[in-house]
Amino acid sequence: MKKIRLTPLLLHKVISLISLAILVSVQANLIYNTYELKNKQYRLDEKSLIDHAYQAAIRNEKLYPGGRKIIDSLVQQNMGIFEELYFTNPKQFERFQHQICRELFIKLRKSSTMDTLFNSIKQQNNLPDDLTYLLTLNALSITFDGVSYISLYQQEQAYHFLPTEITEIKEGIVIDGKLSTINKENLTTSLSISTPTPKSYQITFSLFVDHKYRQGQVLRQMIPTLSLSLSSIIFVLLIYYFTYRNWLKQKKLAEMKSDFLNSITHEFNTPLTAILVANKSLQNKEIVANGKNILSLTAVIQRQTDRLQALINQALDITTMSIETIEKSEYELNKLLEEIINDYKLKTTEKVYIEFLHAPLPSPVPLNRFLLTTMLYNIFDNAIKYNEAEIKRIKVITASNDTHVTITVKDNGVGMSKKMTTAIFEKFYRGKNNQRTGGLGLGLFYVKQSLEIHGWSLNVWSKEGEGSEFCIFIPVST
């Protein structure tokens, strides 16, 4: 199982996400509790007013005006039959119980005056028109001795005798009303009426009243709370964002310092190696015996010393150079390339063959010599470093057309996959073929910087096992 390395960046992200999750959960819990509180307290005065008016309207009634008469006609008047069957024939009692309940529920629904009563309560108390209700019968039982009650109907019990036109919900039999959402928050009245005398009955019923769009209205009341909560989350996210961005800036500054030191180390090696080789050659009596060799070697030392001086003066500015501020001079490109290649040959100790094929070029090319030299040296270094051939070959070709001058560098190295060619210019990138070699992965990143500073472009072609080709396009000045 692969271990996940907890870097500072990853640790920062993990802590930020955990903190954000805690904040969001706390805010969500706060909003939920606020919603529940407002939902419970939603128009309590309105609910109390309806409860009072409803109970006053049915003070001597059951369910609604006229309901008591219906119940008495079917339950109270058949009390004698209920008592006789209960003690003599339990099965017949059950059948009679079901028959009476069916008739009672159907008649209560058909004869309901609850719509009239509820509309009257709304008008008399100036209540909103969107109020709706549901009236349910919760339980019905009878008593023969005034003490013990026998259930004829009880909510939340399965009754198979109920006809299809009767609607039964968890709260009981629906007598009237169209309120679809039933809960304890919109329970307005719950009554249980009985007469503690022999041969009487007990009935329990409930009235639920609510607005059609209660949840939306409660949420509208919560807009200030929701706004504050959302604002606090956004504010914290902004703090995280700016903190994270500033942290990345500081990290980038630290990386730039590290890159500077790495680049200096990387770039100083090339001219120093050429100077050391030329100096060692000057110590060879056979070589210095020929005066021409001395002039050639001292010229190399002079050029590489100038390069070191330029490196000191210009490397510090590499990150701030731009196409507008770069210092350029005009050079005969073929002549300059020949000097660069000859200087590079001095530092190679392996079997390396560099071939230069040049075509006639138009007017001198404006460029920064230091950057071009560094760019080509980095490409040459890679051509040798990632090459397993016995004789490592590099071919440099110049050409031109109406729009561009091109410098093509071909090698017979190990080559790269297509995916790899798109990543090699990233800072510190080192592909799978590069792990066995040294280096910091800065060479081609430097090439990319130099190209951008000049306003040039580059195409890379490569195939694994067949080498690579870098083609630099230099626009022709008009």
Side-chain angles (χ1 to χ4, degrees), residues 337 341 354-358 376 380 394-398 407-410:
L337 290 175
I341 293 169
I354 302 179
E355 183 181 4
F356 181 35
L357 303 177
H358 51 85
L376 292 175
F380 293 165
I394 300 173
K395 185 179 291 187
V396 181
I397 307 168
T398 59
I407 305 172
T408 303
V409 181
K410 297 181 179 180

Side-chain angles (χ1 to χ4, degrees), residues 368-429:
N368 183 290
R369 176 171 179 156
F370 166 74
L371 292 180
L372 176 64
T373 303
T374 302
M375 189 191 318
L376 292 175
Y377 273 22
N378 282 323
I379 295 174
F380 293 165
D381 285 345
N382 284 345
I384 296 172
K385 188 184 297 183
Y386 308 119
N387 196 319
E388 297 176 348
E390 185 176 350
I391 298 178
K392 300 172 174 56
R393 298 182 182 277
I394 300 173
K395 185 179 291 187
V396 181
I397 307 168
T398 59
S400 67
N401 55 33
D402 293 337
T403 58
H404 290 86
V405 171
T406 60
I407 305 172
T408 303
V409 181
K410 297 181 179 180
D411 66 59
N412 63 336
V414 296
M416 299 175 285
S417 65
K418 186 176 181 180
K419 180 180 179 182
M420 196 171 174
T421 59
T422 62
I424 54 176
F425 296 101
E426 295 176 8
K427 185 168 53 175
F428 304 122
Y429 177 80

Side-chain angles (χ1 to χ4, degrees), residues 27-183:
Q27 292 292 330
N29 188 58
L30 173 64
I31 291 171
Y32 174 77
N33 289 333
T34 304
Y35 175 82
E36 287 296 309
L37 180 62
K38 286 190 175 292
N39 194 31
K40 289 177 182 178
Q41 295 179 342
Y42 182 70
R43 299 202 173 185
L44 289 176
D45 54 342
E46 186 178 87
K47 183 188 293 187
S48 177
L49 191 151
I50 295 172
D51 177 41
H52 179 76
Y54 175 64
Q55 291 199 44
I58 61 167
R59 183 167 288 115
N60 296 312
E61 283 290 348
K62 310 283 195 312
L63 293 166
Y64 53 76
R68 178 177 181 175
K69 183 178 180 181
I70 296 172
I71 299 170
D72 286 351
S73 67
L74 288 170
V75 178
Q76 191 66 53
Q77 291 184 12
N78 289 298
M79 194 64 69
I81 300 174
F82 275 121
E83 184 176 19
E84 180 182 353
L85 294 175
Y86 183 78
F87 291 108
T88 60
N89 194 333
K91 289 186 177 181
Q92 188 64 31
F93 172 84
E94 185 178 358
R95 285 194 290 271
F96 187 66
Q97 165 199 349
H98 293 172
Q99 176 188 339
I100 294 300
C101 285
R102 278 197 304 271
E103 293 179 14
L104 175 64
F105 297 155
I106 292 172
K107 196 166 185 178
L108 284 172
R109 282 177 60 85
K110 287 183 178 180
S111 304
S112 174
T113 59
M114 191 60 200
D115 273 348
T116 303
L117 172 61
F118 190 70
N119 287 330
S120 175
I121 292 173
K122 288 198 294 185
Q123 291 175 4
Q124 291 174 9
N125 295 279
N126 296 319
L127 297 176
D129 290 335
D130 69 333
L131 276 174
T132 185
Y133 75 92
L134 192 76
L135 180 64
T136 62
L137 191 155
N138 313 119
L140 178 65
S141 57
I142 58 176
T143 179
F144 303 130
D145 57 8
V147 178
S148 301
Y149 283 85
I150 302 162
S151 175
L152 299 184
Y153 172 79
Q154 182 65 44
Q155 68 185 83
E156 296 190 283
Q157 292 186 8
Y159 292 98
H160 302 292
F161 65 85
L162 295 174
T164 55
E165 63 266 34
I166 296 298
T167 302
E168 184 181 25
I169 59 176
K170 183 179 69 173
E171 287 74 15
I173 300 296
V174 176
I175 301 301
D176 206 349
K178 297 180 179 179
L179 182 63
S180 58
T181 303
I182 308 299
N183 51 51

Side-chain angles (χ1 to χ4, degrees), residues 231-325:
S231 298
S232 67
I233 291 175
I234 293 174
F235 184 69
V236 170
L237 283 174
L238 287 174
I239 291 175
Y240 278 142
Y241 169 73
F242 287 114
T243 302
Y244 180 68
R245 191 178 68 172
N246 290 335
W247 181 80
L248 285 180
K249 285 182 178 179
Q250 295 298 323
K251 184 172 179 288
K252 186 175 181 180
L253 287 174
E255 287 179 350
M256 285 175 65
K257 292 179 181 179
S258 177
D259 289 350
F260 169 73
L261 294 174
N262 290 334
S263 296
I264 291 295
T265 302
H266 184 80
E267 302 303 334
F268 272 28
N269 283 331
T270 298
L272 283 173
T273 301
I275 291 171
L276 288 171
V277 171
N279 183 64
K280 190 173 181 180
S281 298
L282 287 173
Q283 295 173 5
N284 189 316
K285 294 180 180 180
E286 295 179 1
I287 294 177
V288 298
N290 187 337
K292 291 182 179 180
N293 290 337
I294 295 175
L295 292 175
S296 175
L297 291 170
T298 55
V300 169
I301 293 173
Q302 181 63 48
R303 283 197 299 271
Q304 295 305 321
T305 303
D306 291 341
R307 176 166 160 73
L308 279 174
Q309 184 64 47
L311 184 63
I312 293 170
N313 293 333
Q314 296 183 28
L316 292 173
D317 299 326
I318 187 66
T319 57
T320 57
M321 280 186 181
S322 68
I323 194 169
E324 293 84 10
T325 61

Side-chain angles (χ1 to χ4, degrees), residues 5-17:
R5 186 165 171 253
L6 197 62
T7 61
L9 179 60
L10 180 59
L11 181 62
H12 183 278
K13 289 181 178 179
V14 169
I15 293 174
S16 298
L17 287 174

